[in-house]
Amino acid sequence: MAIESRIRELGSRHENLDRKIQEETSRPGSDGTMLRELKRQKLRLKEEIEGLRARMH
């Protein structure tokens, strides 16, 4: 159960980062450095989620 809870938490953070990325890309003069960092964080979360899901099966 703890793994499922962690996956939900990480999924929520992943969605929040996705929204931030969309907001930043739609803004004129978006910050490329910030976008790269947000995308890097999102990828790390995705990898962690996938790793936890693999441990469940």
Side-chain angles (χ1 to χ4, degrees):
M1 288 296 210
I3 291 177
E4 291 172 1
S5 173
R6 179 73 175 149
I7 289 172
R8 281 192 300 275
E9 174 193 344
L10 294 174
S12 176
R13 289 172 49 195
H14 186 269
E15 290 173 10
N16 289 337
L17 282 171
D18 195 38
R19 277 193 292 280
K20 286 181 183 179
I21 290 168
Q22 289 175 2
E23 289 170 7
E24 186 62 28
T25 55
S26 66
R27 204 169 54 85
S30 61
D31 184 347
T33 303
M34 178 189 276
L35 277 173
R36 279 191 298 278
E37 180 56 31
L38 291 172
K39 288 179 180 182
R40 195 174 297 127
Q41 290 176 20
K42 186 179 165 191
L43 179 59
R44 276 190 232 121
L45 287 174
K46 180 181 176 187
E47 290 171 345
E48 188 172 347
I49 290 167
E50 289 173 353
L52 288 171
R53 284 187 176 144
R55 285 178 31 194
M56 288 177 56
H57 299 293

